[in-house]
Amino acid sequence: MSEAVKTINVLLLGAGALGSMFTWRLQVSGAVQVTAVCRSNYQTVKDAGFRIESHEFGTHTYRPDKVVRTVEEAVAQGETYDFILVCTKALPNMGDNSEMIAPAVVESKTIIILIQNGIGIEDPFYARYPGNPVVSAVAHIDVSQPEGGAIRHGGLIGISMGLFQPTAYDADAATKALQALAALWNEGGAPCAVVDNIQALRWLKLVWNASFNTVAVVSGGNDTRKMLDNAECKALIRNLMTDVYRLGEAVIGGPLPTRRGMKCPDDFINDTDSRPHTVLPSMLMDFWAKRPMEHDVILGRPVKIARERGIPVPYLESVYALLVMVEKSYSA
């Protein structure tokens, strides 16, 4: 990298499977320095980095440029960041996590990118940081962290992102900065696009998350292969997807976009069925580890929106009720 090229400083909050993969693909450019806020995996990542086994990129060790325990530590020496990548679980039912990044946010300068699942995840960040660009990002990736610092990645990785409510700051400058970051992701083999219809893409991703993710848990703990091999389970997944399509299209006021040619529930099912390896949905991993699950943003908020609009989503409502009860059974 030429010394004349400005280094992009990125702060990662949520250094798990998803966050480590996306910051790794930025770091390989040589133009980005990554500071990772690690919690349970801090010592492992600090000492040895992330051990990544990827069908797409091979086996590698990824070492963030700096590993810290807290956001406060990340700015203790006066460090500033061009981007903050928030890759934590979206758990608004357990509290507002927008405050966590406050020490690192410089008003009107820091761009906040939310790489999280679900609907309505941007609202608390937009309310707390009205002078900063808040970016909604939708990731498509097959990745897990079976143990601290050990990352297993399949062949799927990609991200779309767009400005949320671009009214209180210089949207043109923010878009230009996003496009520069997107170019680095593309160079690093993680296809990225800056789009205007990010909310439509968020609903499109919900088609998979509200079905495979949730049914993996309420079916008793099953991966995609086992779910699709059961006719009744497969039918439930299809019905959940149909609910999401009906609701999402009502919210955005038109058809959901297509992705890789997928434009209906059966396309999503066939795509998942044809993958060369079984997928372990992230919610299934949380269930096995007895961690809080993202049921509020993946099911709860869509169900609330549906009720407000008078749109029937019986399968979403039923699975949401079951999922909340499952979590209560081990979190009480």
Side-chain angles (χ1 to χ4, degrees):
M1 180 182 67
S2 169
E3 293 183 0
V5 177
K6 178 183 179 295
T7 298
I8 298 173
N9 291 311
V10 171
L11 177 64
L12 169 64
L13 185 69
L18 180 147
S20 61
M21 282 296 300
F22 278 108
T23 52
W24 175 43
R25 302 321 298 169
L26 286 176
Q27 191 199 57
V28 296
S29 69
V32 174
Q33 287 195 339
V34 177
T35 296
V37 179
C38 296
R39 296 178 184 173
S40 60
N41 59 358
Y42 169 80
Q43 201 59 56
T44 299
V45 176
K46 179 79 171 177
D47 293 343
F50 291 97
R51 304 180 309 281
I52 298 176
E53 295 181 7
S54 169
H55 286 274
E56 180 72 13
F57 303 111
T59 300
H60 299 271
T61 296
Y62 161 49
R63 294 179 179 271
D65 298 278
K66 188 175 182 181
V67 179
V68 298
R69 289 188 176 89
T70 65
V71 175
E72 287 80 5
E73 185 181 348
V75 298
Q77 304 300 318
E79 297 94 336
T80 60
Y81 298 93
D82 302 290
F83 297 92
I84 299 176
L85 269 57
V86 180
C87 301
T88 56
K89 294 288 182 182
L91 302 167
N93 49 306
M94 300 188 66
D96 178 1
N97 70 344
S98 65
E99 185 178 5
M100 296 173 63
I101 64 172
V105 176
V106 178
E107 186 173 0
S108 76
K109 178 184 183 298
T110 312
I111 298 177
I112 303 163
I113 302 180
L114 307 177
I115 311 180
Q116 295 179 304
N117 289 325
I119 300 300
I121 54 108
E122 307 92 350
D123 295 334
F125 291 88
Y126 181 70
R128 188 178 294 274
Y129 310 109
N132 290 81
V134 173
V135 178
S136 185
V138 174
H140 295 277
I141 185 169
D142 173 13
V143 67
S144 63
Q145 183 177 214
E147 59 180 306
I151 307 299
R152 293 178 183 172
H153 172 241
L156 179 65
I157 184 170
I159 185 170
S160 300
M161 54 185 179
L163 294 173
F164 179 76
Q165 304 284 2
T167 56
Y169 48 83
D170 187 341
D172 289 339
T175 299
K176 184 177 180 180
L178 285 181
Q179 289 170 339
L181 197 70
L184 296 178
W185 262 318
N186 282 310
E187 290 173 11
C192 180
V194 179
V195 300
D196 295 326
N197 65 334
I198 191 61
Q199 292 306 316
L201 294 178
R202 189 164 284 284
W203 280 100
L204 184 67
K205 185 179 181 183
L206 195 70
V207 172
W208 201 96
N209 275 339
S211 53
F212 280 105
N213 243 321
T214 63
V215 175
V217 175
V218 299
S219 65
N222 289 289
D223 59 33
T224 54
R225 179 74 280 129
K226 291 177 181 177
M227 286 187 279
L228 291 176
D229 283 345
N230 181 283
E232 289 78 13
C233 193
K234 186 175 182 179
L236 174 59
I237 288 169
R238 181 182 293 107
N239 287 329
L240 285 161
M241 290 181 172
T242 300
D243 275 2
V244 175
Y245 262 98
R246 182 187 306 115
L247 178 58
E249 291 180 345
V251 170
I252 69 170
L256 292 184
T258 61
R259 179 176 177 273
R260 292 170 40 229
M262 294 181 286
K263 56 184 178 181
C264 67
D266 280 331
D267 288 343
F268 278 88
I269 290 171
N270 292 337
D271 177 78
T272 303
D273 199 16
S274 66
R275 293 185 190 182
H277 56 280
T278 294
V279 178
L280 298 175
S282 60
M283 193 173 283
L284 178 61
M285 303 294 286
D286 290 333
F287 168 66
W288 282 341
K290 300 298 182 282
R291 293 189 295 255
M293 296 181 285
E294 295 178 302
H295 53 70
D296 185 73
V297 295
I298 289 178
L299 290 179
R301 290 188 176 185
V303 165
K304 181 180 178 182
I305 293 170
R307 288 172 177 168
E308 291 171 348
R309 291 173 172 259
I311 298 171
V313 288
Y315 295 96
L316 292 179
E317 289 179 326
S318 298
V319 173
Y320 175 53
L322 293 172
L323 198 60
V324 171
M325 291 301 293
V326 169
E327 185 180 274
K328 284 183 178 179
S329 72
Y330 63 72
S331 62

